[in-house]
Amino acid sequence: MHKILSHLNSDDFSALRNYLSEPRKLVITTHRSPDGDAIGSSLGLYLALHKMGHEVAVIVPDEFPAFLAWMSGAESVLVYESAPSKALPVLRAAEMIFCLDYNAYHRTGELGLHLERANVPKVLIDHHQSPDDFAAYLLSDTSASSTAQLIYEFMEGMEMLQLLDREIAECLYSGLVTDTGSFRFNSTSERTHYIAAQLMKTGMENHLVHQRLFDNNSINRLRLLGFCLSEKLVVLPEYRTAYIALTKSELKRFNYKKGDTEGIVNYALSLQNIVFAAFITEREREIRLSFRSKDGWDVNRFARAYFNGGGHIHAAGGAAQISLAATLEKLEGHLAEHQSELQNA
Ligand SMILES: [Mn+2]
């Protein structure tokens, strides 16, 4: 038995089915710096709703990485940051807005202000901790491996599973794969594998999806990874922590493109005896921090408490509006405060 911790009961599903029984103008949104789960779940739902005859658009706050651009429907995604004058009229015309893979408006950056103002019912489908209270329909399950997994559950509740086809399956499978570290994180359940199996029944070829997602490195990205591991990896055994911090000019030196640093933090976490890994980059206006952990050490709490961020117990992110050096000092200061917890994790 799989349990969905949500506020969506069978009455909600039938109300939604009823509402969507005639063509509607629908918008699907996701978080800033969209990842494989954000884009995969958005496009999977987009393709399914489109098949039902709705006028659907996906609006993302900013550009998504090129290694996701092969998915069906990717060419039609509207990027708010690069073309607000295209995205906003579509958003304003929406009769219903889907919010996927985030649960607080601020996770969508400036787009959030427009979402907040949009006075139409919102359907929130997400697996992060502590959802804000803004959705008319909430499907939230922090134990779910990915939002893509919850899109499958949503489609089941909506009696939409007969719409599943190879293109939709490829999108949802990409969300499962990227958010579970290829089915290895502890969020991977029996249900995750069951859903992957259902997706494969559409004729989707899983090895091709893996290839498109992972065998797609640019030479710059591989060299940047090598640089991070050989020159930039800082190990703090006393805190069971390892981190990598990159300056703006280092990113530039490797001709950084969105997505190039994706997953590098996991190499730091793969070190023996390390429970906390951080990947830190200096951006135009702020310092971005990405955290990963294991053995129950709660990086969601850490990111919320000190870096104005959040996420999951074992994967979270945050930001700082101080210099990179000051950020590292701050990080090490808070690690010291939590030293005994880290040692006992
Ligand atoms: Mn996700």
Side-chain angles (χ1 to χ4, degrees), residues 5-262:
L5 308 171
S6 89
H7 304 183
L8 277 190
N9 55 36
S10 57
D11 287 346
D12 292 323
F13 275 122
S14 68
L16 267 173
R17 271 200 303 273
N18 194 33
Y19 183 79
L20 294 176
S21 65
E22 51 186 279
R24 302 282 184 184
K25 288 192 169 76
L26 308 172
V27 161
I28 297 168
T29 59
T30 190
H31 58 78
R32 210 161 57 133
S33 301
D35 55 12
D37 187 33
I39 296 298
S41 57
S42 294
L43 287 175
L45 181 63
Y46 163 85
L47 295 169
L49 291 170
H50 188 76
K51 252 179 148 176
M52 287 168 74
H54 300 293
E55 206 177 298
V56 201
V58 175
I59 301 178
V60 298
D62 55 357
E63 210 58 70
F64 56 88
F67 75 92
L68 302 172
W70 56 269
M71 286 182 214
S72 278
E75 67 292 340
S76 67
V77 171
L78 299 170
V79 182
Y80 168 78
E81 193 179 71
S82 41
S85 61
K86 269 191 185 167
L88 284 179
V90 176
L91 185 68
R92 289 196 189 107
E95 296 172 90
M96 178 174 268
I97 298 175
F98 290 81
C99 306
L100 306 190
D101 206 38
Y102 70 94
N103 60 26
Y105 288 132
H106 72 88
R107 294 281 292 114
T108 66
E110 197 185 289
L111 178 61
L113 303 174
H114 301 284
L115 288 167
E116 201 167 356
R117 248 175 257 152
N119 191 21
V120 294
K122 308 212 170 88
V123 182
L124 172 49
I125 304 176
D126 179 57
H127 67 135
H128 296 87
Q129 318 271 328
S130 329
D132 277 359
D133 184 21
F134 63 81
Y137 299 95
L138 175 65
L139 177 52
S140 164
D141 180 357
T142 56
S143 75
S145 71
S146 53
T147 296
Q149 177 165 338
L150 292 176
I151 295 297
Y152 182 93
E153 308 291 12
F154 180 76
M155 287 179 69
E156 182 172 71
M158 293 292 288
E159 297 169 9
M160 286 165 68
L161 285 182
Q162 78 285 356
L163 297 172
L164 264 187
D165 59 21
R166 191 190 160 120
E167 280 75 33
I168 296 172
E170 287 176 345
C171 295
L172 298 184
Y173 188 78
S174 297
L176 295 184
V177 167
T178 53
D179 256 27
T180 59
S182 302
F183 302 104
R184 73 189 187 93
F185 299 157
N186 70 343
S187 58
T188 309
S189 62
E190 194 185 312
R191 182 73 179 164
T192 315
H193 285 293
Y194 170 84
I195 291 171
Q198 300 311 303
L199 298 177
M200 286 185 73
K201 285 183 183 167
T202 63
M204 176 203 81
E205 291 180 83
N206 58 331
H207 70 280
L208 290 181
V209 176
H210 284 265
Q211 271 176 36
R212 289 175 196 147
L213 291 171
F214 302 116
D215 299 345
N216 211 349
N217 285 316
S218 66
I219 187 69
N220 281 319
R221 176 178 139 78
L222 276 196
R223 293 218 160 102
L224 175 62
L225 171 63
F227 174 70
C228 287
L229 299 182
S230 69
E231 311 288 324
K232 303 297 294 187
L233 182 62
V234 176
V235 184
L236 306 169
E238 66 276 32
Y239 308 135
R240 301 180 71 194
T241 294
Y243 72 79
I244 295 165
L246 293 176
T247 65
K248 249 188 281 187
S249 69
E250 287 165 338
L251 288 169
K252 205 168 156 212
R253 180 173 145 199
F254 291 92
N255 195 18
Y256 168 79
K257 297 266 182 327
K258 206 140 213 182
D260 279 356
T261 55
E262 194 89 23

Side-chain angles (χ1 to χ4, degrees), residues 236-240 297 333-345:
L236 306 169
E238 66 276 32
Y239 308 135
R240 301 180 71 194
W297 207 76
H334 292 305
L335 288 172
E337 289 165 29
H338 292 275
Q339 182 164 17
S340 64
E341 276 169 53
L342 284 157
Q343 272 168 353
N344 299 319

